[in-house]
Short mmCIF file of all heavy atoms in Angstrom, two decimals:
data_model
loop_
_atom_site.label_atom_id
_atom_site.label_comp_id
_atom_site.label_asym_id
_atom_site.label_seq_id
_atom_site.Cartn_x
_atom_site.Cartn_y
_atom_site.Cartn_z
N VAL A 269 6.93 2.44 72.03
CA VAL A 269 5.62 2.53 72.75
C VAL A 269 5.24 3.92 72.93
O VAL A 269 6.13 4.80 72.98
CB VAL A 269 5.84 1.78 74.10
CG1 VAL A 269 5.94 0.27 74.05
CG2 VAL A 269 7.01 2.46 74.99
N PRO A 270 3.97 4.19 73.05
CA PRO A 270 2.86 3.31 72.86
C PRO A 270 2.70 3.16 71.39
O PRO A 270 2.97 3.92 70.50
CB PRO A 270 1.59 3.97 73.39
CG PRO A 270 2.01 5.54 73.37
CD PRO A 270 3.48 5.53 73.42
N ARG A 271 2.12 1.93 70.95
CA ARG A 271 1.80 1.64 69.69
C ARG A 271 0.26 1.44 69.50
O ARG A 271 -0.34 0.94 70.41
CB ARG A 271 2.42 0.30 69.22
CG ARG A 271 3.93 0.51 68.99
CD ARG A 271 4.62 -0.83 68.87
NE ARG A 271 4.44 -1.69 69.95
CZ ARG A 271 4.61 -3.01 69.94
NH1 ARG A 271 4.73 -3.71 68.89
NH2 ARG A 271 4.41 -3.74 71.10
N ILE A 272 -0.27 1.85 68.35
CA ILE A 272 -1.64 1.57 67.97
C ILE A 272 -1.86 0.32 67.27
O ILE A 272 -1.40 0.17 66.06
CB ILE A 272 -2.26 2.73 67.12
CG1 ILE A 272 -2.06 4.13 67.89
CG2 ILE A 272 -3.72 2.52 66.79
CD1 ILE A 272 -2.52 5.22 67.10
N MET A 273 -2.25 -0.66 68.02
CA MET A 273 -2.40 -2.03 67.41
C MET A 273 -3.72 -2.51 68.03
O MET A 273 -3.65 -3.13 69.10
CB MET A 273 -1.23 -2.99 67.72
CG MET A 273 0.12 -2.49 66.95
SD MET A 273 1.42 -3.77 67.34
CE MET A 273 1.12 -4.92 66.06
N GLY A 274 -4.79 -2.47 67.26
CA GLY A 274 -6.16 -2.81 67.80
C GLY A 274 -6.39 -2.02 69.15
O GLY A 274 -6.93 -2.58 70.07
N GLY A 275 -6.05 -0.88 69.26
CA GLY A 275 -6.16 0.04 70.43
C GLY A 275 -4.71 0.40 70.85
O GLY A 275 -3.80 0.10 70.07
N ILE A 276 -4.63 1.18 71.84
CA ILE A 276 -3.37 1.65 72.41
C ILE A 276 -2.62 0.62 73.11
O ILE A 276 -3.19 -0.07 74.06
CB ILE A 276 -3.45 2.96 73.13
CG1 ILE A 276 -3.80 4.10 72.24
CG2 ILE A 276 -2.37 3.23 74.05
CD1 ILE A 276 -2.56 4.57 71.51
N LEU A 277 -1.41 0.23 72.67
CA LEU A 277 -0.72 -0.84 73.26
C LEU A 277 0.35 -0.21 74.07
O LEU A 277 1.30 0.37 73.42
CB LEU A 277 -0.33 -1.91 72.23
CG LEU A 277 0.13 -3.33 72.70
CD1 LEU A 277 -1.16 -3.94 73.22
CD2 LEU A 277 0.76 -3.94 71.48
N ASN A 278 0.47 -0.42 75.44
CA ASN A 278 1.57 0.22 76.20
C ASN A 278 2.71 -0.65 76.45
O ASN A 278 3.79 -0.27 76.98
CB ASN A 278 1.02 0.88 77.39
CG ASN A 278 0.25 2.07 77.17
OD1 ASN A 278 0.54 2.80 76.29
ND2 ASN A 278 -0.67 2.39 77.93
N SER A 279 2.53 -1.93 75.98
CA SER A 279 3.64 -2.80 76.37
C SER A 279 4.48 -3.08 75.10
O SER A 279 3.96 -2.71 73.89
CB SER A 279 3.05 -4.14 76.80
OG SER A 279 2.34 -4.79 75.78
N HIS A 280 5.69 -3.64 75.19
CA HIS A 280 6.44 -3.87 73.96
C HIS A 280 6.97 -5.35 74.13
O HIS A 280 7.26 -5.84 75.33
CB HIS A 280 7.69 -2.95 73.91
CG HIS A 280 8.38 -2.99 72.76
ND1 HIS A 280 9.48 -3.98 72.61
CD2 HIS A 280 8.35 -2.33 71.66
CE1 HIS A 280 9.95 -3.78 71.50
NE2 HIS A 280 9.48 -2.85 70.87
N PRO A 281 7.07 -6.09 73.13
CA PRO A 281 7.66 -7.46 73.19
C PRO A 281 8.94 -7.59 74.05
O PRO A 281 9.13 -8.72 74.41
CB PRO A 281 7.72 -7.90 71.70
CG PRO A 281 6.82 -6.97 70.96
CD PRO A 281 6.85 -5.65 71.70
N ASP A 282 9.74 -6.58 73.88
CA ASP A 282 11.07 -6.67 74.52
C ASP A 282 11.04 -6.39 75.93
O ASP A 282 12.06 -6.22 76.62
CB ASP A 282 12.15 -5.84 73.73
CG ASP A 282 12.44 -6.43 72.48
OD1 ASP A 282 12.17 -7.60 72.23
OD2 ASP A 282 13.11 -5.75 71.64
N ASP A 283 9.83 -6.00 76.48
CA ASP A 283 9.77 -5.46 77.96
C ASP A 283 10.50 -6.36 78.99
O ASP A 283 11.26 -5.80 79.72
CB ASP A 283 8.22 -5.34 78.33
CG ASP A 283 7.71 -4.02 77.93
OD1 ASP A 283 8.53 -3.21 77.26
OD2 ASP A 283 6.43 -3.77 77.94
N ALA A 284 10.19 -7.56 78.89
CA ALA A 284 10.83 -8.50 79.87
C ALA A 284 12.35 -8.59 79.77
O ALA A 284 13.06 -8.47 80.71
CB ALA A 284 10.10 -9.91 79.78
N ALA A 285 12.74 -8.54 78.47
CA ALA A 285 14.17 -8.71 78.22
C ALA A 285 14.80 -7.45 78.65
O ALA A 285 15.93 -7.42 79.29
CB ALA A 285 14.29 -8.96 76.79
N TRP A 286 14.22 -6.23 78.50
CA TRP A 286 14.88 -5.05 78.89
C TRP A 286 14.95 -4.95 80.39
O TRP A 286 16.00 -4.52 81.03
CB TRP A 286 14.12 -3.74 78.40
CG TRP A 286 14.57 -2.63 79.07
CD1 TRP A 286 13.79 -1.87 80.05
CD2 TRP A 286 15.80 -1.86 79.10
NE1 TRP A 286 14.45 -0.70 80.49
CE2 TRP A 286 15.74 -0.87 79.86
CE3 TRP A 286 16.93 -2.04 78.37
CZ2 TRP A 286 16.71 0.23 80.14
CZ3 TRP A 286 17.95 -1.22 78.43
CH2 TRP A 286 17.89 -0.09 79.38
N GLU A 287 13.87 -5.32 81.10
CA GLU A 287 13.97 -5.24 82.51
C GLU A 287 14.99 -6.12 83.15
O GLU A 287 15.69 -5.75 84.09
CB GLU A 287 12.49 -5.58 83.12
CG GLU A 287 11.63 -4.37 83.23
CD GLU A 287 10.21 -4.51 82.84
OE1 GLU A 287 9.72 -5.66 83.07
OE2 GLU A 287 9.60 -3.64 82.32
N ALA A 288 15.22 -7.30 82.45
CA ALA A 288 16.29 -8.14 83.06
C ALA A 288 17.70 -7.52 82.87
O ALA A 288 18.53 -7.56 83.69
CB ALA A 288 16.25 -9.53 82.31
N LEU A 289 17.84 -6.86 81.77
CA LEU A 289 19.01 -6.25 81.33
C LEU A 289 19.25 -4.95 82.26
O LEU A 289 20.46 -4.68 82.75
CB LEU A 289 18.95 -5.75 79.88
CG LEU A 289 20.30 -5.59 79.23
CD1 LEU A 289 21.06 -6.90 79.21
CD2 LEU A 289 20.12 -5.02 77.77
N ALA A 290 18.15 -4.27 82.49
CA ALA A 290 18.33 -3.00 83.22
C ALA A 290 18.77 -3.36 84.66
O ALA A 290 19.51 -2.55 85.25
CB ALA A 290 16.84 -2.30 83.22
N THR A 291 18.31 -4.24 85.26
CA THR A 291 18.69 -4.85 86.58
C THR A 291 20.22 -5.02 86.60
O THR A 291 20.96 -4.42 87.45
CB THR A 291 17.98 -6.09 87.01
OG1 THR A 291 16.60 -5.76 86.72
CG2 THR A 291 18.26 -6.31 88.50
N LEU A 292 20.83 -5.65 85.58
CA LEU A 292 22.17 -5.94 85.59
C LEU A 292 22.92 -4.50 85.28
O LEU A 292 24.04 -4.30 85.81
CB LEU A 292 22.42 -6.86 84.32
CG LEU A 292 21.96 -8.26 84.50
CD1 LEU A 292 22.21 -9.03 83.14
CD2 LEU A 292 22.65 -9.07 85.73
N LEU A 293 22.40 -3.65 84.55
CA LEU A 293 23.04 -2.33 84.23
C LEU A 293 23.19 -1.58 85.57
O LEU A 293 24.20 -0.98 85.87
CB LEU A 293 22.25 -1.57 83.29
CG LEU A 293 22.30 -2.12 81.71
CD1 LEU A 293 21.38 -1.24 80.98
CD2 LEU A 293 23.73 -1.95 81.17
N ILE A 294 22.02 -1.67 86.41
CA ILE A 294 22.10 -0.87 87.78
C ILE A 294 23.31 -1.55 88.48
O ILE A 294 24.05 -0.76 89.25
CB ILE A 294 20.73 -0.93 88.41
CG1 ILE A 294 19.70 -0.13 87.60
CG2 ILE A 294 20.85 -0.47 89.72
CD1 ILE A 294 18.25 -0.36 87.89
N ASP A 295 23.25 -2.81 88.55
CA ASP A 295 24.29 -3.54 89.40
C ASP A 295 25.70 -3.25 88.91
O ASP A 295 26.61 -3.11 89.79
CB ASP A 295 24.17 -5.06 89.35
CG ASP A 295 22.84 -5.52 89.90
OD1 ASP A 295 22.28 -4.64 90.69
OD2 ASP A 295 22.38 -6.60 89.63
N SER A 296 25.79 -2.78 87.68
CA SER A 296 27.10 -2.52 87.23
C SER A 296 27.36 -1.00 87.10
O SER A 296 28.36 -0.55 86.54
CB SER A 296 27.29 -3.00 85.66
OG SER A 296 27.12 -4.28 85.63
N SER A 297 26.48 -0.12 87.66
CA SER A 297 26.63 1.32 87.85
C SER A 297 26.84 1.95 86.63
O SER A 297 27.39 2.95 86.40
CB SER A 297 27.93 1.73 88.69
OG SER A 297 27.79 1.00 89.93
N ILE A 298 25.99 1.37 85.51
CA ILE A 298 25.92 2.03 84.24
C ILE A 298 24.62 2.83 84.24
O ILE A 298 23.54 2.26 84.48
CB ILE A 298 26.08 1.09 83.06
CG1 ILE A 298 27.39 0.34 83.09
CG2 ILE A 298 25.70 1.60 81.71
CD1 ILE A 298 27.57 -0.85 82.06
N VAL A 299 24.65 4.11 83.82
CA VAL A 299 23.42 4.90 83.95
C VAL A 299 22.53 4.51 82.74
O VAL A 299 22.85 4.36 81.65
CB VAL A 299 23.75 6.41 83.81
CG1 VAL A 299 22.37 7.19 83.72
CG2 VAL A 299 24.57 6.83 84.99
N ALA A 300 21.23 4.17 83.00
CA ALA A 300 20.36 3.83 81.99
C ALA A 300 18.98 4.55 82.25
O ALA A 300 18.36 4.62 83.25
CB ALA A 300 20.03 2.27 82.07
N ILE A 301 18.60 5.19 81.22
CA ILE A 301 17.34 5.90 81.17
C ILE A 301 16.27 5.14 80.54
O ILE A 301 16.49 4.74 79.28
CB ILE A 301 17.45 7.35 80.51
CG1 ILE A 301 18.57 8.14 81.31
CG2 ILE A 301 16.10 8.15 80.64
CD1 ILE A 301 18.84 9.51 80.71
N ASP A 302 15.08 4.86 81.08
CA ASP A 302 14.14 4.07 80.44
C ASP A 302 13.07 5.13 80.00
O ASP A 302 12.35 5.86 80.83
CB ASP A 302 13.55 3.13 81.41
CG ASP A 302 12.46 2.23 80.74
OD1 ASP A 302 11.99 2.47 79.63
OD2 ASP A 302 12.05 1.21 81.47
N MET A 303 12.78 5.15 78.65
CA MET A 303 11.88 6.27 78.13
C MET A 303 10.36 5.71 78.14
O MET A 303 9.39 6.58 77.78
CB MET A 303 12.25 6.68 76.81
CG MET A 303 13.47 7.43 76.60
SD MET A 303 13.53 8.87 77.68
CE MET A 303 12.28 9.89 77.10
N ARG A 304 10.11 4.52 78.42
CA ARG A 304 8.75 3.89 78.16
C ARG A 304 7.66 4.70 78.84
O ARG A 304 6.70 5.11 78.28
CB ARG A 304 8.72 2.46 78.58
CG ARG A 304 9.59 1.63 77.62
CD ARG A 304 9.58 0.21 78.06
NE ARG A 304 10.18 0.10 79.48
CZ ARG A 304 10.18 -1.02 80.10
NH1 ARG A 304 9.40 -2.12 79.60
NH2 ARG A 304 10.71 -1.09 81.39
#
Side-chain angles (χ1 to χ4, degrees):
Chain A
V269 286
R271 283 171 300 158
I272 301 176
M273 289 182 87
I276 282 285
L277 202 65
N278 286 331
S279 62
H280 188 277
D282 286 345
D283 277 352
W286 164 253
E287 271 144 32
L289 202 66
T291 311
L292 294 171
L293 288 172
I294 292 167
D295 292 345
S296 303
S297 307
I298 296 172
V299 178
I301 304 175
D302 184 353
M303 293 302 300
R304 288 177 302 167

